[in-house]
Amino acid sequence: MKKLLFISCIILASCSEEQMDLPLGHAFELDAQLPADANGYYHLELGYDWQTLHRITGQVSAVENEYELAKIEWSSSHYWLIGDTLGYIVHQNWTLNDNGYLYMNNDTSYVTWFNGTEVPTVNGASYSTMDGEINTMFAPVQNMSGDTISVSAQASFADSHVSEVKTLKFIIE
């Protein structure tokens, strides 16, 4: 019995930290959907609208040829604030008469209750698909031009295993 315990301790001690922290099937990879430069940074060119939408994908590894559902938690180094109004809603009121509908009046409501709300540049969470695919949306805004934004993700699996944090760095142009 002592020999078995001694051999078990030697085997466990010979395993690297990475092997013990990452069980088979609990790995995941991210894909920025952009080419990386020599330093590993991704360059995202802003569009003409206020916010530029860009999809980040990835893959969760399979366990014995089956994929386990994973929750991916995302975070970003940048966010933006909503100004004094988000816009407005126009209510068009119509009445029915003998000839059909007749326009009566127009009522406008301004949406101002979002003033000062922080908007992250990446969705907070997503789940892997049945084939292990990961997706989220990254959406920097115009005044972030010239910034370098870090987007990080961490996977949580059904058996309570949590992966290492993966980070992508985007230069916004």
Side-chain angles (χ1 to χ4, degrees), residues 4 14 24-25 27 29 34 38 44 54 69 72 84 91 94 108 114 116 122 133 136 138-139 142 144 156 158 163 173:
L4 181 61
S14 67
L24 178 65
E29 295 299 322
L34 293 167
L44 179 64
H54 181 75
L69 181 67
I72 311 300
D84 66 345
H91 303 278
W94 299 81
T108 302
F114 292 104
V122 69
E133 185 178 343
T136 196
F138 174 53
Q142 289 294 328
M144 294 178 184
S156 301
S163 73
E173 299 174 334

Side-chain angles (χ1 to χ4, degrees), residues 16 24 26 30 40 52 59 62 73 84 88-89 93 134 154 165 167 169:
S16 72
L24 178 65
H26 289 86
L30 297 178
T52 299
Q59 186 71 32
E73 295 185 37
D84 66 345
Y88 57 90
I89 301 169
N93 299 312
I134 301 166
Q154 186 172 35
V165 175
T167 301
K169 294 192 183 261

Side-chain angles (χ1 to χ4, degrees), residues 16-152:
S16 72
E17 186 177 329
E18 183 176 324
Q19 290 171 326
M20 292 179 69
D21 286 346
L22 231 123
L24 178 65
H26 289 86
F28 79 106
E29 295 299 322
L30 297 178
D31 184 355
Q33 301 288 312
L34 293 167
D37 66 16
N39 297 316
Y41 289 83
Y42 301 95
H43 295 259
L44 179 64
E45 189 173 328
L46 293 174
Y48 296 105
D49 293 330
W50 167 248
Q51 195 171 32
T52 299
L53 300 177
H54 181 75
R55 185 170 71 131
I56 299 172
T57 65
Q59 186 71 32
V60 176
S61 62
V63 178
E64 297 177 9
N65 295 323
E66 292 194 20
Y67 291 95
E68 180 181 340
L69 181 67
K71 178 181 181 182
I72 311 300
E73 295 185 37
W74 300 88
S75 62
S76 171
S77 60
H78 285 56
Y79 64 91
W80 57 278
L81 296 176
I82 294 179
D84 66 345
T85 182
L86 185 61
Y88 57 90
I89 301 169
V90 177
H91 303 278
Q92 295 180 343
N93 299 312
W94 299 81
T95 60
L96 181 61
N97 65 16
D98 293 337
N99 298 325
Y101 284 100
L102 176 67
Y103 177 74
M104 287 297 293
N105 66 2
N106 194 22
D107 181 26
T108 302
S109 299
Y110 291 92
V111 181
T112 60
W113 57 84
F114 292 104
N115 185 23
T117 301
E118 292 181 3
V119 181
T121 56
V122 69
N123 291 339
S126 64
Y127 289 88
S128 60
T129 63
M130 296 301 288
D131 60 353
E133 185 178 343
I134 301 166
N135 291 289
T136 196
M137 292 306 292
F138 174 53
V141 294
Q142 289 294 328
N143 61 356
M144 294 178 184
S145 181
D147 289 354
T148 299
I149 300 177
S150 297
V151 174
S152 298

Side-chain angles (χ1 to χ4, degrees), residues 1-15:
M1 183 68 170
K2 288 182 182 180
K3 281 186 178 182
L4 181 61
L5 181 62
F6 178 74
I7 292 171
S8 297
C9 289
I10 290 175
I11 291 172
L12 285 174
S14 67
C15 291

